[in-house]
Amino acid sequence: MQQHAHGIGKVSWRMAAQATLHCLTGCAIGEVLGMVIGTALGWGNVQTMILAIVLAFFFGYALTLRGVLKAGVDFKTAFRVALAADTLSIAVMELIDNAVIAFWPGAMDAHLSDPMFWWILAIALAAAFVITTPVNKWMIGRGKGHAVVHQYHH
């Protein structure tokens, strides 16, 4: 693991985009599930958004955890790898995604059955992807983020 302290050098945009897409998948699952649950329970916007964010982190970490555990790593180590690999990426993604939704006129009042809800969610996730990809590129180049996971891929 010492190799990561020095970084891995030049990182392609493709590698950064793949890492970001991985995080985006978990975030999108958590976001939608959180909104569905919050809506079904009749929660307000703030409670629903908090649940969606918590679930976005949960599913983002879970996807990484699944892959690292599959490589034969013990749970404690795999959990640490997932935290190291995804925390900043998911945090940036959630900040952008939720800011778009919070500040888009009418977005917070759109219901799951409203096409506006889905269009704004798609725009918010796309914006999160575009803004988070350079963050992941920078982190991977320094041996952080998804660079930590790459040693467990075969």
Side-chain angles (χ1 to χ4, degrees):
M1 218 170 199
Q2 180 63 16
Q3 69 192 24
H4 297 296
H6 302 293
I8 62 171
K10 187 153 177 63
V11 177
S12 71
W13 283 104
R14 178 182 165 100
M15 181 186 291
Q18 286 175 333
T20 306
L21 187 58
H22 173 89
C23 283
L24 183 69
T25 301
C27 286
I29 292 168
E31 289 276 333
V32 172
L33 185 59
M35 290 177 197
V36 168
I37 292 169
T39 300
L41 296 175
W43 289 0
N45 289 338
V46 173
Q47 297 92 334
T48 300
M49 189 176 273
I50 290 169
L51 177 62
I53 292 168
V54 167
L55 290 176
F57 272 91
F58 173 80
F59 282 98
Y61 290 141
L63 289 178
T64 297
L65 193 60
R66 187 183 113 231
V68 176
L69 286 170
K70 208 174 186 179
V73 176
D74 66 278
F75 183 83
K76 186 176 179 181
T77 302
F79 186 72
R80 287 183 182 159
V81 168
L83 290 177
D86 292 336
T87 300
L88 183 59
S89 181
I90 295 171
V92 170
M93 198 164 287
E94 285 302 298
L95 178 69
I96 301 305
D97 170 30
N98 286 286
V100 169
I101 292 169
F103 292 113
W104 193 291
M108 293 297 287
D109 298 320
H111 295 280
L112 295 172
S113 60
D114 186 347
M116 177 183 176
F117 168 85
W118 296 101
W119 278 107
I120 294 169
L121 180 61
I123 291 166
L125 291 171
F129 177 82
V130 167
I131 293 169
T132 307
T133 299
V135 172
N136 281 328
K137 186 176 188 302
W138 178 80
M139 288 190 322
I140 294 167
R142 281 149 188 77
K144 309 278 187 220
H146 271 260
V148 177
V149 175
H150 287 266
Q151 68 179 316
Y152 299 104
H153 289 207
H154 297 286

